[in-house]
Coordinates of all heavy atoms in Angstrom, one line a residue:
M1 N 183.2 91.4 182.6 CA 182.5 91.1 183.8 C 181.4 90.1 183.5 O 180.4 90.5 182.8 CB 181.9 92.4 184.3 CG 181.0 92.4 185.4 SD 181.9 92.3 186.9 CE 180.6 92.2 188.1
Q2 N 181.6 88.9 183.9 CA 180.6 87.9 183.6 C 179.7 87.7 184.9 O 180.1 87.8 186.0 CB 181.3 86.6 183.3 CG 180.3 85.5 182.7 CD 181.1 84.4 182.0 OE1 182.3 84.3 182.1 NE2 180.3 83.5 181.4
G3 N 178.4 87.4 184.6 CA 177.6 87.1 185.8 C 176.3 88.0 185.6 O 176.3 89.0 184.9
R4 N 175.3 87.7 186.4 CA 174.1 88.5 186.4 C 173.7 89.0 187.8 O 174.0 88.4 188.7 CB 173.0 87.5 185.8 CG 173.3 86.9 184.5 CD 172.2 86.1 183.9 NE 171.0 86.9 183.4 CZ 171.1 87.6 182.3 NH1 172.2 87.6 181.5 NH2 170.1 88.3 181.8
H5 N 173.0 90.2 187.7 CA 172.6 90.8 188.9 C 171.0 90.8 188.8 O 170.5 90.8 187.7 CB 173.1 92.2 189.1 CG 172.9 93.1 188.1 ND1 171.6 93.7 187.9 CD2 173.5 93.5 187.0 CE1 171.5 94.4 186.8 NE2 172.7 94.4 186.2
G6 N 170.4 91.0 190.0 CA 168.9 91.1 190.0 C 168.6 92.6 189.6 O 169.4 93.5 189.9
D7 N 167.4 92.9 189.1 CA 167.1 94.2 188.7 C 167.2 95.2 189.8 O 167.6 96.3 189.7 CB 165.6 94.2 188.1 CG 165.5 93.5 186.8 OD1 166.6 93.5 186.1 OD2 164.5 93.1 186.4
D8 N 166.9 94.8 191.1 CA 166.9 95.6 192.3 C 168.4 95.8 192.8 O 168.6 96.6 193.6 CB 166.0 95.1 193.3 CG 166.4 93.7 193.8 OD1 166.9 92.9 193.0 OD2 166.1 93.4 195.0
E9 N 169.3 95.0 192.1 CA 170.7 95.1 192.7 C 171.6 95.9 191.7 O 172.8 96.0 191.9 CB 171.2 93.7 192.9 CG 170.5 92.9 193.8 CD 170.8 91.4 193.7 OE1 171.4 91.0 192.7 OE2 170.6 90.7 194.7
R10 N 171.1 96.3 190.6 CA 172.0 97.0 189.5 C 172.8 98.1 190.1 O 174.1 98.1 189.7 CB 171.1 97.5 188.4 CG 171.9 98.0 187.2 CD 171.2 98.3 186.0 NE 171.9 99.0 185.0 CZ 172.8 98.4 184.2 NH1 173.0 97.1 184.2 NH2 173.5 99.2 183.3
E11 N 172.3 99.0 190.7 CA 173.1 100.2 191.2 C 174.3 99.8 192.2 O 175.4 100.2 192.0 CB 172.3 101.2 191.9 CG 171.4 102.0 190.9 CD 172.2 102.6 189.8 OE1 173.2 103.2 190.0 OE2 171.7 102.5 188.6
A12 N 173.9 98.8 193.0 CA 175.0 98.3 193.9 C 176.1 97.5 193.2 O 177.2 97.7 193.4 CB 174.3 97.4 195.0
A13 N 175.6 96.8 192.2 CA 176.6 96.0 191.3 C 177.5 97.0 190.5 O 178.7 96.9 190.4 CB 175.8 95.1 190.4
L14 N 176.9 98.1 190.0 CA 177.7 99.1 189.3 C 178.6 99.8 190.2 O 179.8 100.1 189.8 CB 176.8 100.1 188.6 CG 175.9 99.5 187.4 CD1 175.0 100.6 186.9 CD2 176.9 99.2 186.2
D15 N 178.2 100.1 191.4 CA 179.2 100.7 192.3 C 180.4 99.8 192.7 O 181.5 100.3 192.7 CB 178.4 101.1 193.7 CG 177.4 102.2 193.6 OD1 177.5 103.0 192.6 OD2 176.6 102.3 194.5
R16 N 180.1 98.5 193.0 CA 181.2 97.6 193.2 C 182.1 97.5 191.9 O 183.4 97.4 192.1 CB 180.6 96.3 193.5 CG 180.0 96.1 195.0 CD 179.8 94.8 195.3 NE 178.9 94.0 194.4 CZ 177.6 94.0 194.5 NH1 176.9 94.8 195.4 NH2 176.9 93.4 193.7
F17 N 181.5 97.5 190.8 CA 182.2 97.3 189.5 C 183.2 98.5 189.3 O 184.3 98.4 189.0 CB 181.3 97.1 188.3 CG 181.9 96.8 187.0 CD1 182.9 95.9 186.9 CD2 181.4 97.4 185.9 CE1 183.5 95.6 185.7 CE2 181.9 97.1 184.6 CZ 183.0 96.2 184.5
A18 N 182.6 99.7 189.6 CA 183.4 100.9 189.4 C 184.6 101.0 190.4 O 185.7 101.3 190.0 CB 182.5 102.2 189.6
E19 N 184.4 100.6 191.6 CA 185.4 100.4 192.6 C 186.5 99.5 192.1 O 187.7 99.8 192.3 CB 184.8 100.1 193.9 CG 185.8 100.1 195.0 CD 185.2 99.6 196.4 OE1 184.0 99.7 196.5 OE2 186.0 99.2 197.3
S20 N 186.1 98.4 191.7 CA 187.0 97.4 191.2 C 187.8 97.8 190.0 O 189.1 97.6 190.0 CB 186.3 96.0 190.9 OG 185.7 95.5 192.1
L21 N 187.2 98.4 189.1 CA 187.9 98.9 187.9 C 188.9 100.0 188.3 O 190.0 100.1 187.7 CB 186.9 99.4 186.9 CG 186.1 98.4 186.1 CD1 185.1 99.1 185.1 CD2 187.0 97.4 185.3
A22 N 188.6 100.9 189.2 CA 189.5 101.9 189.6 C 190.7 101.3 190.2 O 191.8 101.7 189.9 CB 188.8 102.8 190.6
I23 N 190.5 100.3 191.1 CA 191.7 99.6 191.7 C 192.5 98.9 190.6 O 193.8 99.1 190.6 CB 191.2 98.6 192.7 CG1 190.6 99.4 193.9 CG2 192.3 97.7 193.2 CD1 189.8 98.5 194.9
L24 N 191.9 98.2 189.7 CA 192.6 97.5 188.7 C 193.3 98.4 187.8 O 194.4 98.1 187.3 CB 191.7 96.5 188.0 CG 191.2 95.3 188.9 CD1 190.0 94.6 188.1 CD2 192.3 94.4 189.2
G25 N 192.6 99.5 187.3 CA 193.2 100.4 186.5 C 194.5 101.1 187.1 O 195.5 101.3 186.4
A26 N 194.4 101.4 188.3 CA 195.6 102.0 189.0 C 196.7 101.0 189.1 O 197.9 101.3 188.9 CB 195.2 102.4 190.4
H27 N 196.4 99.7 189.3 CA 197.5 98.7 189.4 C 198.1 98.5 188.0 O 199.3 98.4 187.9 CB 196.8 97.3 189.8 CG 197.8 96.3 189.9 ND1 198.7 96.1 191.0 CD2 198.0 95.1 189.2 CE1 199.4 95.1 190.8 NE2 199.1 94.5 189.7
A28 N 197.3 98.5 187.0 CA 197.9 98.4 185.6 C 198.7 99.6 185.2 O 199.8 99.4 184.6 CB 196.7 98.3 184.5
R29 N 198.3 100.7 185.7 CA 199.1 101.9 185.4 C 200.6 101.8 185.9 O 201.6 102.2 185.3 CB 198.5 103.2 186.0 CG 199.2 104.5 185.7 CD 198.6 105.7 186.3 NE 197.4 106.0 185.6 CZ 196.1 106.0 186.2 NH1 196.1 105.7 187.5 NH2 195.1 106.2 185.6
Q30 N 200.7 101.1 187.1 CA 202.0 100.9 187.7 C 203.0 100.1 186.6 O 204.2 100.3 186.8 CB 201.9 100.1 188.9 CG 201.3 100.8 190.0 CD 201.1 99.8 191.3 OE1 201.5 98.8 191.3 NE2 200.4 100.4 192.3
Y31 N 202.4 99.4 185.8 CA 203.2 98.6 184.8 C 203.2 99.2 183.4 O 203.7 98.7 182.4 CB 202.7 97.2 184.8 CG 202.8 96.5 186.1 CD1 201.8 96.4 187.0 CD2 204.0 95.9 186.4 CE1 202.0 95.9 188.3 CE2 204.2 95.3 187.6 CZ 203.2 95.2 188.5 OH 203.4 94.6 189.7
G32 N 202.7 100.4 183.4 CA 202.7 101.2 182.1 C 201.7 100.7 181.1 O 201.9 100.9 179.9
V33 N 200.6 100.0 181.5 CA 199.6 99.5 180.6 C 198.2 99.9 181.0 O 198.1 100.4 182.2 CB 199.6 97.9 180.5 CG1 201.0 97.4 179.9 CG2 199.4 97.3 181.8
S34 N 197.3 99.8 180.2 CA 195.9 100.1 180.5 C 195.2 98.8 180.6 O 195.4 97.8 180.2 CB 195.2 100.9 179.3 OG 195.8 102.2 179.2
L35 N 194.0 98.9 181.4 CA 193.1 97.8 181.6 C 192.1 97.8 180.6 O 191.5 98.9 180.3 CB 192.5 97.8 183.0 CG 191.6 96.7 183.3 CD1 192.3 95.4 183.6 CD2 190.8 97.2 184.6
L36 N 191.8 96.7 179.9 CA 190.8 96.6 178.9 C 189.6 96.0 179.5 O 189.7 95.0 180.2 CB 191.2 95.8 177.7 CG 192.4 96.4 176.9 CD1 192.8 95.5 175.7 CD2 192.2 97.8 176.4
Y37 N 188.4 96.6 179.3 CA 187.1 96.0 179.7 C 186.3 95.7 178.5 O 186.1 96.6 177.6 CB 186.4 96.9 180.6 CG 184.9 96.6 180.8 CD1 184.6 95.4 181.2 CD2 184.0 97.5 180.3 CE1 183.2 95.0 181.4 CE2 182.6 97.2 180.5 CZ 182.3 95.9 181.0 OH 180.9 95.6 181.1
E38 N 185.9 94.5 178.3 CA 185.0 94.1 177.2 C 183.6 93.7 177.6 O 183.4 92.8 178.4 CB 185.7 92.8 176.6 CG 184.8 92.3 175.4 CD 185.3 90.9 174.9 OE1 186.3 90.4 175.4 OE2 184.6 90.2 174.3
P39 N 182.7 94.6 177.2 CA 181.3 94.2 177.5 C 180.9 92.9 176.8 O 181.4 92.7 175.7 CB 180.5 95.3 176.9 CG 181.4 96.5 176.7 CD 182.7 95.8 176.5
L40 N 180.2 92.0 177.5 CA 179.8 90.7 177.0 C 178.4 90.7 176.4 O 177.6 91.6 176.7 CB 180.0 89.7 178.1 CG 181.4 89.6 178.7 CD1 181.4 88.6 179.9 CD2 182.4 89.1 177.7
N41 N 178.0 89.6 175.8 CA 176.7 89.5 175.3 C 175.7 89.2 176.3 O 176.0 88.8 177.4 CB 176.7 88.5 174.1 CG 176.8 87.1 174.6 OD1 176.2 86.6 175.4 ND2 177.8 86.4 173.9
R42 N 174.4 89.3 175.9 CA 173.3 89.2 176.9 C 173.2 87.8 177.5 O 172.6 87.5 178.5 CB 172.0 89.5 176.1 CG 171.6 88.5 175.1 CD 170.3 89.0 174.4 NE 169.8 88.1 173.5 CZ 170.0 88.1 172.2 NH1 170.8 89.1 171.7 NH2 169.6 87.1 171.4
Y43 N 173.8 86.8 176.9 CA 173.8 85.4 177.5 C 174.8 85.3 178.6 O 174.7 84.3 179.4 CB 174.1 84.4 176.4 CG 173.0 84.5 175.3 CD1 173.4 85.0 174.1 CD2 171.8 84.1 175.5 CE1 172.5 85.0 173.0 CE2 170.8 84.3 174.5 CZ 171.2 84.7 173.2 OH 170.3 84.8 172.2
E44 N 175.8 86.2 178.7 CA 176.9 86.0 179.7 C 176.7 87.0 180.9 O 177.2 86.7 182.0 CB 178.2 86.3 179.1 CG 178.5 85.3 178.0 CD 179.8 85.6 177.2 OE1 179.8 86.7 176.6 OE2 180.6 84.7 177.1
T45 N 176.0 88.1 180.6 CA 175.9 89.2 181.6 C 174.7 90.0 181.4 O 174.3 90.1 180.2 CB 177.2 90.0 181.8 OG1 177.0 90.9 183.0 CG2 177.5 90.9 180.6
N46 N 174.3 90.8 182.4 CA 173.2 91.8 182.1 C 173.8 93.2 182.6 O 172.9 94.1 182.8 CB 171.9 91.4 182.8 CG 172.0 91.3 184.3 OD1 173.0 91.3 184.9 ND2 170.8 91.1 184.9
M47 N 175.0 93.2 182.9 CA 175.7 94.5 183.3 C 175.7 95.5 182.1 O 175.0 96.5 182.2 CB 177.1 94.3 183.7 CG 177.7 95.5 184.4 SD 177.1 96.0 185.9 CE 177.8 94.8 187.0
F48 N 176.5 95.2 181.1 CA 176.4 96.1 179.9 C 176.5 95.1 178.7 O 177.3 94.1 178.7 CB 177.7 97.0 179.8 CG 177.7 98.1 180.8 CD1 178.5 98.0 181.9 CD2 176.8 99.1 180.7 CE1 178.5 99.0 182.8 CE2 176.7 100.2 181.7 CZ 177.6 100.0 182.8
N49 N 175.7 95.3 177.7 CA 175.8 94.4 176.5 C 176.1 95.2 175.3 O 176.2 94.6 174.2 CB 174.4 93.7 176.3 CG 174.0 92.9 177.5 OD1 172.9 93.1 178.0 ND2 174.8 92.0 177.9
R50 N 176.1 96.6 175.3 CA 176.5 97.3 174.2 C 177.7 98.2 174.4 O 177.9 98.7 175.6 CB 175.3 98.3 173.9 CG 174.0 97.5 173.5 CD 172.9 98.4 173.1 NE 173.3 99.3 172.0 CZ 173.2 100.7 172.1 NH1 172.8 101.3 173.1 NH2 173.6 101.4 171.0
Q51 N 178.6 98.2 173.5 CA 179.9 98.9 173.6 C 179.6 100.4 174.0 O 180.2 100.9 174.9 CB 180.6 98.8 172.3 CG 181.9 99.6 172.3 CD 182.9 99.2 173.3 OE1 183.0 98.0 173.8 NE2 183.8 100.0 173.7
A52 N 178.7 101.0 173.3 CA 178.5 102.5 173.6 C 178.0 102.7 175.0 O 178.4 103.6 175.7 CB 177.4 103.0 172.6
D53 N 177.1 101.8 175.6 CA 176.6 101.9 177.0 C 177.9 101.8 178.0 O 178.0 102.6 178.9 CB 175.6 100.9 177.3 CG 174.3 101.1 176.4 OD1 174.1 102.2 176.0 OD2 173.5 100.0 176.4
A54 N 178.7 100.9 177.7 CA 179.8 100.6 178.6 C 180.8 101.8 178.6 O 181.3 102.3 179.6 CB 180.5 99.3 178.3
A55 N 181.0 102.3 177.3 CA 182.0 103.5 177.2 C 181.4 104.7 177.8 O 182.2 105.4 178.5 CB 182.3 103.7 175.7
D56 N 180.2 104.9 177.6 CA 179.5 106.1 178.2 C 179.6 106.0 179.7 O 179.8 107.0 180.4 CB 178.0 106.2 177.8 CG 177.9 106.6 176.4 OD1 178.9 107.1 175.7 OD2 176.8 106.5 175.8
W57 N 179.4 104.8 180.3 CA 179.3 104.6 181.7 C 180.7 104.9 182.3 O 180.9 105.6 183.3 CB 178.8 103.3 182.1 CG 178.8 102.9 183.5 CD1 177.9 103.4 184.5 CD2 179.9 102.3 184.3 NE1 178.3 103.0 185.8 CE2 179.4 102.3 185.6 CE3 181.1 101.7 183.9 CZ2 180.2 101.7 186.6 CZ3 181.7 101.0 184.9 CH2 181.4 101.1 186.2
L58 N 181.8 104.3 181.6 CA 183.2 104.5 182.0 C 183.5 106.0 182.1 O 184.2 106.5 183.0 CB 184.1 103.7 181.2 CG 184.3 102.3 181.4 CD1 185.1 101.6 180.3 CD2 184.9 102.0 182.7
R59 N 183.2 106.7 181.0 CA 183.5 108.1 181.0 C 182.7 108.9 182.1 O 183.3 109.8 182.8 CB 183.1 108.8 179.6 CG 184.1 108.6 178.6 CD 183.8 109.4 177.3 NE 182.6 108.9 176.6 CZ 182.6 108.0 175.7 NH1 183.7 107.3 175.4 NH2 181.5 107.6 175.1
A60 N 181.5 108.6 182.3 CA 180.7 109.2 183.4 C 181.2 109.0 184.8 O 181.2 109.8 185.7 CB 179.2 108.8 183.3
Q61 N 181.8 107.8 185.0 CA 182.4 107.4 186.2 C 183.8 108.0 186.5 O 184.3 108.1 187.6 CB 182.6 105.9 186.4 CG 181.3 105.1 186.3 CD 180.3 105.6 187.4 OE1 180.7 105.6 188.6 NE2 179.2 105.9 187.0
G62 N 184.5 108.5 185.4 CA 185.7 109.1 185.5 C 186.8 108.1 186.0 O 187.8 108.5 186.6
I63 N 186.6 106.9 185.6 CA 187.6 105.8 186.0 C 188.8 106.0 185.1 O 188.7 105.9 183.8 CB 186.9 104.5 185.9 CG1 185.8 104.4 186.8 CG2 188.0 103.4 186.2 CD1 184.9 103.1 186.7
G64 N 190.0 106.1 185.7 CA 191.2 106.3 184.8 C 191.8 105.0 184.4 O 191.7 104.0 185.2
N65 N 192.5 105.1 183.3 CA 193.3 104.0 182.8 C 192.6 102.6 182.5 O 193.1 101.6 182.6 CB 194.5 103.7 183.8 CG 195.6 103.0 183.1 OD1 196.1 103.4 182.0 ND2 196.2 102.0 183.7
V66 N 191.2 102.8 182.3 CA 190.5 101.7 181.8 C 189.8 102.0 180.5 O 189.2 103.0 180.3 CB 189.3 101.3 182.8 CG1 188.5 100.1 182.3 CG2 189.9 101.0 184.2
I67 N 190.0 101.1 179.6 CA 189.6 101.3 178.2 C 188.5 100.2 177.9 O 188.7 99.0 178.0 CB 190.7 101.3 177.1 CG1 191.7 102.3 177.5 CG2 190.2 101.4 175.7 CD1 193.0 102.2 176.7
S68 N 187.4 100.7 177.3 CA 186.4 99.7 176.8 C 186.8 99.2 175.4 O 187.2 100.0 174.6 CB 185.1 100.3 176.8 OG 184.0 99.5 176.3
C69 N 186.7 98.0 175.2 CA 187.1 97.4 173.9 C 186.0 96.5 173.4 O 185.1 96.0 174.1 CB 188.5 96.7 174.0 SG 188.4 95.2 174.9
C70 N 186.1 96.2 172.0 CA 185.2 95.2 171.4 C 186.0 94.0 171.0 O 187.1 94.1 170.5 CB 184.6 95.9 170.1 SG 183.5 97.3 170.4
A71 N 185.3 92.8 171.2 CA 185.9 91.6 170.7 C 185.5 91.5 169.2 O 184.5 91.8 168.8 CB 185.4 90.4 171.5
I72 N 186.5 91.1 168.4 CA 186.3 90.9 167.0 C 186.6 89.4 166.7 O 187.7 89.0 167.0 CB 187.1 91.8 166.1 CG1 186.8 93.2 166.4 CG2 186.9 91.5 164.7 CD1 187.7 94.3 165.8
C73 N 185.6 88.7 166.4 CA 185.8 87.2 166.1 C 185.7 87.0 164.6 O 184.8 87.5 163.9 CB 184.7 86.4 166.8 SG 184.8 86.7 168.6
F74 N 186.6 86.1 164.1 CA 186.5 85.7 162.8 C 186.3 84.2 162.8 O 187.0 83.5 163.5 CB 187.8 86.0 162.0 CG 188.1 87.5 161.9 CD1 188.9 88.2 162.9 CD2 187.6 88.3 160.9 CE1 189.2 89.5 162.8 CE2 187.8 89.6 160.8 CZ 188.6 90.2 161.8
T75 N 185.4 83.7 162.0 CA 185.2 82.3 162.0 C 185.4 81.8 160.5 O 185.4 82.4 159.6 CB 183.7 81.9 162.4 OG1 182.8 82.6 161.6 CG2 183.5 82.3 163.8

C-alpha cells in the first residue's frame, strides 16, 4: 500500500484498506492462492512501516487469506 494519509484520516484509511484486503483475499482464494501484503518503508507510506505492526493489525481485523510478508533485498 503506497501513499500517505493525513493524521486525522488514519482510521478511515485503515477501514478502506481492510475492506479492500478482504475483497482481494477472497478473490485470491478462488484461485487457490493467498494475497501477500508487504509493509513499505517510511518514505513510501505512513500506513504501516514495521512488519510486526502490519501482522498484528491483520490478525486483529480477522482478514482471511492475506499474509503479511517482508521484502528481502540483496545488493
Side-chain angles (χ1 to χ4, degrees):
M1 174 83 181
Q2 191 168 9
R4 302 184 77 73
H5 60 78
D7 289 336
D8 58 332
E9 301 168 341
R10 181 170 174 77
E11 289 305 315
L14 287 173
D15 289 345
R16 287 190 304 272
F17 189 42
E19 182 180 339
S20 297
L21 287 178
I23 292 167
L24 293 169
H27 184 74
R29 183 180 291 117
Q30 294 175 4
Y31 296 94
V33 297
S34 296
L35 179 72
L36 298 179
Y37 164 60
E38 175 191 350
L40 301 174
N41 69 53
R42 68 181 184 265
Y43 302 110
E44 297 173 305
T45 186
N46 61 352
M47 185 72 73
F48 293 106
N49 303 122
R50 296 181 60 235
Q51 175 63 26
D53 294 341
D56 289 345
W57 180 81
L58 281 173
R59 277 192 290 276
Q61 298 302 307
I63 299 171
N65 204 44
V66 178
I67 300 168
S68 180
C69 68
C70 293
I72 300 174
C73 299
F74 297 95
T75 57

